[in-house]
Amino acid sequence: MTMVAAQPRVAPLRGLWGAPLILGLTILAGTAIGETRLPFVTVLQTLANHLWGASYPVDGIEAGIIWSYRLPRAIVAACCGAGLALTGVVLQALLRNPLADPYLMGLSAGASTGAVLVTVAGVGGGVISMSFGALTGALLAFGCVVVLAHAVSGGAGGGLATQAAAAIILAGIAGSQMFNALTAFTIARSANAEQARGIMFWLMGNLSGIRWEDVMACTLVSLAGVGLCLWHRRGLDAFTFGADGAASLGINVPALRGSLITATAIMVGVLVSKVGAIGFVGLVVPHAMRFLVGTRHDRLVPASALAGAVFLVAADVISRVIVPGQVLPIGVVTALVGAPAFALILVRGARR
């Protein structure tokens, strides 16, 4: 009990005083760099005009690119990176599985299916929003993965925490494939050729349609996720000893598990409905941050959120400039980084 109870209450912000500066510079870089080269001074002048009421003479087209296209895109990329990294932190802690990630666990695929059913197939008759459809799909996918993993592991007692790591991942892969198939079936049945092309591009991760009205939802859900994870940092630490160990340390395991999994599904649902299913952020970032700041969640949570934000903004910039005249889906860039990291984690796990 002492390991958890002895944690300092002010630790979450210690050593992270530079986080706002790093995040601000990252968003500024994401705003300044793009497929169209713009002078850096023009970027600063445009931001000054909008943020502080300055009156620098700036070309209207360039100002529109910077303020209406690049800045909200960089902010949403940062929020999505932070949120997806946090979902990886939570799932890996609760499941005690280093490979747990919303993409591999099928949550992203379920959210994509829900979003496509609402927008393409018309499920809900216009009453249900795309975000609500994605949230429902993410929760349904997680439920399917839990039930399948329980069946694969033989239903041995102890519930979710005692499921074998391999069973969880295999169930996640199976669930992901099933929901991807449902998404493809829905698109084939209900979408025309133009819709199908746009949706398939969105499913691989696409921030080109991001505008200011998307910023608020992504910012709120990411900040709420950071706050909730920090609030439950002691409980996440306690899960290092398993569900039974956490219960013996005074943690209300069902309540903690339910609240954090629901929060994870909400984050995945909202973020996927805005930018599509971007993989491997929740897998790569938490592992890299554990190497740098350790396993205690008072440091791991804010560090992972910051690193996830920086990582996804950088990936978005790369996706816009790596091929001249063409914007790649951001999921392609994250997969090129995440797939080798996934293989490395598998190899290290096998050698232990």
Side-chain angles (χ1 to χ4, degrees), residues 6 8 15 53 55 76 138-139 142 144 163 247 250 281 302 313 321:
S55 54
V76 168
L139 287 172
F142 188 80
C144 291
Q163 302 297 336
V281 179
V313 171
V321 301

Side-chain angles (χ1 to χ4, degrees), residues 251-350:
I251 302 298
N252 187 337
V253 172
L256 176 65
R257 183 181 287 159
S259 63
L260 287 179
I261 287 178
T262 301
T264 298
I266 291 174
M267 281 194 286
V268 172
V270 172
L271 299 179
V272 167
S273 70
K274 300 297 182 185
V275 301
I278 300 174
F280 295 106
V281 179
L283 176 68
V284 175
V285 173
H287 282 287
M289 289 303 101
R290 282 192 193 90
F291 179 76
L292 292 177
V293 303
T295 58
R296 287 174 42 161
H297 288 83
D298 56 357
R299 291 180 178 275
L300 182 61
V301 167
S304 295
L306 177 62
V310 174
F311 175 68
L312 208 59
V313 171
D316 183 46
V317 170
I318 293 172
S319 73
R320 284 183 279 159
V321 301
I322 192 170
V323 179
Q326 184 177 356
V327 179
L328 295 177
I330 191 172
V332 174
V333 179
T334 59
L336 288 174
V337 177
F342 180 71
L344 179 62
I345 294 168
L346 283 177
V347 171
R348 290 186 60 186

Side-chain angles (χ1 to χ4, degrees), residues 228-255:
L228 185 65
C229 290
L230 286 175
W231 181 262
H232 290 298
R233 62 189 184 278
R234 292 180 61 247
L236 290 170
D237 284 342
F239 263 86
T240 304
F241 309 106
D244 294 338
S248 69
L249 293 170
I251 302 298
N252 187 337
V253 172

Side-chain angles (χ1 to χ4, degrees), residues 42-271:
T42 302
V43 176
L44 295 179
Q45 289 174 340
T46 301
L47 296 180
N49 287 346
H50 284 277
L51 296 176
W52 297 290
S55 54
Y56 294 106
V58 181
D59 180 81
I61 295 177
E62 294 181 344
I65 292 174
I66 294 167
W67 183 257
S68 301
Y69 173 68
R70 288 187 183 176
L71 182 58
R73 179 174 180 145
I75 294 174
V76 168
C79 292
C80 290
L84 292 175
L86 285 179
T87 60
V89 171
V90 170
L91 291 175
Q92 288 164 18
L94 294 183
L95 302 178
R96 301 182 67 196
N97 190 322
L99 299 177
D101 162 79
Y103 193 76
L104 294 175
M105 296 287 295
L107 270 70
S108 297
S112 299
T113 302
V116 168
L117 284 173
V118 170
T119 56
V120 177
V123 172
V127 178
I128 298 176
S129 67
M130 185 177 178
S131 296
F132 185 80
L135 168 62
T136 304
L139 287 172
L140 182 61
F142 188 80
C144 291
V145 170
V146 170
V147 171
L148 182 57
H150 190 69
V152 170
S153 63
L160 183 62
T162 59
Q163 302 297 336
I168 290 284
I169 295 303
L170 289 175
I173 293 172
S176 180
Q177 292 301 313
M178 182 184 73
F179 281 99
N180 284 335
L182 284 173
T183 301
F185 177 78
T186 304
I187 294 172
R189 288 280 301 173
S190 305
N192 56 40
E194 184 177 353
Q195 282 181 315
R197 182 180 180 278
I199 292 171
M200 294 307 294
F201 197 83
W202 170 77
L203 287 175
M204 291 188 289
N206 181 20
L207 283 85
S208 62
I210 292 297
R211 296 296 182 265
W212 277 110
E213 51 266 31
D214 302 309
V215 171
M216 183 61 73
C218 294
T219 302
L220 287 178
V221 77
S222 298
L223 290 177
V226 173
L228 185 65
C229 290
L230 286 175
W231 181 262
H232 290 298
R233 62 189 184 278
R234 292 180 61 247
L236 290 170
D237 284 342
F239 263 86
T240 304
F241 309 106
D244 294 338
S248 69
L249 293 170
I251 302 298
N252 187 337
V253 172
L256 176 65
R257 183 181 287 159
S259 63
L260 287 179
I261 287 178
T262 301
T264 298
I266 291 174
M267 281 194 286
V268 172
V270 172
L271 299 179

